[in-house]
Each structure stands twice: as C-alpha cells, then as structure tokens.
Amino acid sequence: MKADNLKALELIDAATFQKDLISWFETEQRDLPWRKDQDPYKVWVSEIMLQQTRVETVIPFFNRFIEWFPTLEDFADAEEERILKAWEGLGYYSRVRNLHSAVQEVRSEYGGQVPDTPAEISKLKGVGPYTAGAILSIAYGKPEPAVDGNVMRVLSRILTIDADIAKPSSRKIFEAAVRELISHENPSSFNQALMELGALICVPGKPACLLCPVRRHCQAFEEGLQNELPVKSSNKKMRNVQIVAAILTDHSGRFLIRKRPNKGLLANLWEFPNFEYNSQLAPKRERFEHDFQEITAVHCDLGIHLTKIDHVFSHLTWNVDAYAGLIQTDIEDEVLASNRLKWVSAEELSEYAFPVSHQKIWKAWTKQG
DNA sequence: TAAGCGTGGGC
DNA sequence: TGCCCAAGCTT
C-alpha cells in the first residue's frame, strides 16, 4: 500500500477485527502491575517508564516507584535527588525530570487531576503523541490513537503499509489507520491489544503468525510479506569518547563525587571525577592528575588501575579507564561548590543517583578493597 | 528532520 | 563481538 493513502482499510472489517483482537487480549494479556487499576497517575508513570524500555525491565522500577510515591501528590512533593534515585538504572533520565515538572503543573493548574483532553495533556512536559493517546484511552476510555513501535509494526503488516517507520512523518499514517479501526466501545483494550500483540505475537524478526488472533485480517500474511514488513531504515555509527575516571578518597575515607551538568547526557546524576579525552592515543593517569590540579589547585595521586570499561550508550561509547587515588590536601569549599564536587561517606553514597557506567567503576573499587 | 538521550537482553 | 532492539520525546 502506498504511504499516502489508506485504501487497504477498505479490505478490512473493523468490527470483526476489533472483536478478534480484543477477545484475544481479554484472555491472553499479561498480568502487569499497572493494569491493576486505571489511576491516571499510575497509567502515566507506567507509560513514561515504558518509553523505549522493555516491560520486564520496567516492572520492578514501577513497583518501587509507586511504593515511594503512591500518589501524584507524593511525587510532586519529592526532592529531585529522590526522583533521580527512583529512576537510577532505568535510563533516559530526562523522562523523570519532565514527569516531575509535569506532575507539579497538574497539581497547580488542574487541581491534581490529570487532564483528559488531547490539547491539555499534550502540553505536559514529556507527554508526546503516543503517551497522550495511551493515557487518554487507558485511563479515560477516550478513542484516541496510541501509536508506538508495536502498533506501527502490527499495522504495517495487517495493512501492508510500507512507509519507513523510522521516519517521524510516518506516525500520522498509522494514527489515521487507528482512528478508522479503533473500538469506540473499548478503546483501552483495543490500543493495549495492538501493543500486546506486537510484543507477544507480531514480533520483529519472525512473527508467530500461526498463533495470531487476527491472522485472517492480515494482508501481509495473505501475501507472504510478514517478514518483509515493516520497512525500517537503520542507523548511524557511534562516536567513541575516551574517559579517565578516578575514585578519590581523603584521609578519613570519604569519596569525592561530582554532580553532572543540568543538561545533556545523564543530566544531574552523580559521578566519580573524570575527564574526557578525544585524542586517539590512550590517555594516561598523569593527564588526569594535571587536569585535576588545574581545577581544584590540589594534587591527587592515582594509584592502581581499577578497570577498563566500555560502556555503550544509544549514540556513543565511553571507553573508561578507572583508577583509585588519594588526596592529602583540603580542597577549598568554594572550589568544591563551583565544580559541583562533594565529599561523602560510603554509606551516604547510596543516597545519590549514579549512572550504570559509574556503578561499574564503584563495583571494581569494592572488589579491589 | 535529525540528532541527542540509557540500559539490558537476544542472537 | 557487534548490532538490533523496546510501550518516544525534545530540540
């Protein structure tokens, strides 16, 4: 089918498609913690966590998050350090800062009630077209499309749509299709069923067509095209960044940590002091000691080499050389503050949110003792 | 529009 | 090992 028309929709009977899809969902859906009720706050939290993140990964994070912040009000009141700690290890940390800001807006502008219109909910930070549709349909029963990667994959096969799903402009094609197909009696189950089908049956690679409840509606299956769809252009190569990091201790056994900048990669998370070197040649400890002294006016002695870590992000790789070191001299308070540096004890470390890359460094340190 | 933004699992 | 992926949003 052409990317710019929906003629394939004429070949499908929406009523029986809905019935086949929703009936399957009623019996086969997974038992997930965010499906226990329709609290808009919990639906919202789960949808943000599920962005680009697997269900199995999200489950324990969601359960702990709701224990820590049972209501929208509890989360709105939380300190930033605490919300980052709740998200520690989940990735895409701007999600939780946007969610926090948006929840505070809901409290101040909407009396604590999550808005139930597309215009209002779409204004909230971190709520894009997918999340808006998901909350409106799941929490409020509104017949709005919630088009994620699953829905694009499933519908590209059902309707043999060959638009490149990696292109942002393709999403509106699938939204138009959902608007034609969605059940107005049960938009919640319809949207969730499309995603559940994509996750369990209509998977990337080899879809399990023989188990598919909507096989009789699937134009790709009929034409043997299920392995050719969806069309998805794939991506670019990554940048490598050389890092030298150090776990630095003072005479009383405290650790020096640093808060990352409030924008960009791993914003506002904590880390062990480190420097980036883009040169090809492997950076050495002397380079770190020099740069550290330049910033703090204090000398540090990097002792043993703890570990070498290759940490892969979505768009770059850190090649980290991690050392352990000692600092014998006091660092001025103003110097600490202006560089977002802080001395903390081992017990206090657990109160701060660290990215996984730096957790790996810490793990290497604990093994060395 | 394209790039930036994490992590863990599958093959 | 290296790539692709998984319930996207922001700038």
Side-chain angles (χ1 to χ4, degrees):
Chain A
M1 149 172 175
K2 285 296 189 67
D4 59 354
N5 75 64
L6 291 172
K7 200 169 284 184
L9 281 168
E10 297 171 7
L11 301 173
I12 188 170
D13 180 67
T16 58
F17 177 72
Q18 293 163 9
K19 183 173 176 302
D20 290 342
L21 181 65
I22 292 175
S23 299
W24 170 81
F25 180 68
E26 306 288 0
T27 61
E28 300 300 323
Q29 66 171 291
R30 290 168 289 182
D31 184 17
L32 301 174
W34 47 89
R35 288 180 173 162
K36 286 191 288 199
D37 61 51
Q38 299 179 174
D39 177 355
Y41 163 68
K42 292 181 194 167
V43 171
W44 186 4
V45 169
S46 72
E47 291 302 339
I48 299 298
M49 285 189 170
L50 285 162
Q51 290 170 4
Q52 299 291 285
T53 311
R54 297 184 136 76
V55 164
E56 313 81 65
T57 301
V58 166
I59 290 171
F61 282 90
F62 176 83
N63 286 331
R64 191 184 62 173
F65 192 98
I66 296 303
E67 281 176 25
W68 287 9
F69 316 114
T71 68
L72 185 147
E73 190 81 16
D74 295 319
F75 183 58
D77 285 337
E79 304 281 343
E80 190 191 63
E81 199 62 59
R82 189 69 174 158
I83 70 164
L84 286 173
K85 191 68 186 174
W87 218 262
E88 182 187 46
L90 195 51
Y92 287 142
Y93 299 94
S94 66
R95 289 184 292 176
V96 74
R97 291 182 296 114
N98 286 336
L99 179 62
H100 196 220
S101 157
V103 157
Q104 290 175 335
E105 185 179 346
V106 166
R107 184 171 59 175
S108 62
E109 302 299 318
Y110 299 100
Q113 301 300 307
V114 179
D116 64 350
T117 66
E120 290 173 319
I121 203 165
S122 298
K123 285 183 197 155
L124 299 171
K125 277 184 194 167
V127 178
Y130 162 74
T131 306
I135 297 171
L136 290 170
S137 61
I138 297 171
Y140 293 119
K142 308 251 181 178
E144 290 292 323
V147 174
D148 70 339
N150 285 311
V151 172
M152 289 196 284
R153 182 174 58 259
V154 169
L155 291 183
S156 75
R157 288 170 175 159
I158 301 279
L159 302 172
T160 56
I161 296 171
D162 63 1
D164 181 356
I165 66 169
K167 291 192 178 306
S169 57
S170 298
R171 200 197 67 253
K172 61 180 183 296
I173 298 169
F174 295 93
E175 286 184 345
V178 171
R179 288 193 188 281
E180 295 297 318
L181 293 174
I182 193 169
S183 164
H184 286 246
E185 290 68 44
N186 197 345
S188 169
S189 289
F190 182 88
N191 279 342
Q192 291 188 77
L194 276 183
M195 293 188 275
E196 196 83 340
L197 189 68
L200 300 180
I201 307 285
C202 195
V203 294
K206 275 183 73 72
C209 297
L210 297 184
L211 301 175
C212 181
V214 293
R215 183 176 66 243
R216 63 172 170 147
H217 305 279
C218 185
Q219 295 166 28
F221 180 74
E222 187 168 341
E223 299 175 35
L225 294 174
Q226 64 271 29
N227 293 321
E228 317 306 320
L229 294 168
V231 174
K232 186 176 185 181
S233 61
S234 72
N235 38 319
K236 327 303 152 218
K237 49 173 156 299
M238 293 193 304
R239 202 159 43 99
N240 275 64
V241 177
Q242 313 300 320
I243 304 264
V244 178
I247 293 190
L248 299 171
T249 54
D250 67 3
H251 58 278
S252 58
R254 294 181 305 172
F255 300 90
L256 189 61
I257 63 175
R258 180 171 66 188
K259 194 173 187 179
R260 292 181 58 84
N262 61 16
K263 286 187 181 305
L265 184 65
L266 306 168
N268 281 357
L269 272 71
W270 292 82
E271 64 183 3
F272 298 108
N274 65 87
F275 297 99
E276 290 190 11
Y277 302 107
N278 289 322
S279 63
Q280 298 296 54
L281 41 146
K284 299 225 161 47
R285 69 186 76 189
E286 290 77 15
R287 192 82 184 276
F288 180 104
E289 292 171 349
H290 172 83
D291 291 339
F292 186 83
Q293 181 143 15
E294 203 149 81
I295 285 175
T296 62
V298 165
H299 180 71
C300 67
D301 280 311
L302 294 197
I304 54 171
H305 180 257
L306 286 176
T307 184
K308 181 164 171 40
I309 294 165
D310 296 322
H311 189 80
V312 180
F313 296 92
S314 51
H315 61 300
L316 63 87
T317 298
W318 275 357
N319 305 117
V320 183
D321 271 299
Y323 295 87
L326 269 175
I327 295 183
Q328 313 269 14
T329 321
D330 285 346
I331 303 173
E332 299 289 338
D333 286 346
E334 304 79 49
V335 171
L336 289 173
S338 64
N339 289 286
R340 297 161 69 96
L341 290 164
K342 190 170 186 173
W343 286 108
V344 297
S345 68
E347 308 80 65
E348 290 168 327
L349 265 183
S350 64
E351 304 295 319
Y352 296 85
F354 285 80
V356 169
S357 47
H358 283 261
Q359 292 175 23
K360 291 177 183 171
I361 297 171
W362 175 250
K363 191 170 179 181
W365 190 91
T366 59
K367 284 185 179 173
Q368 290 283 335

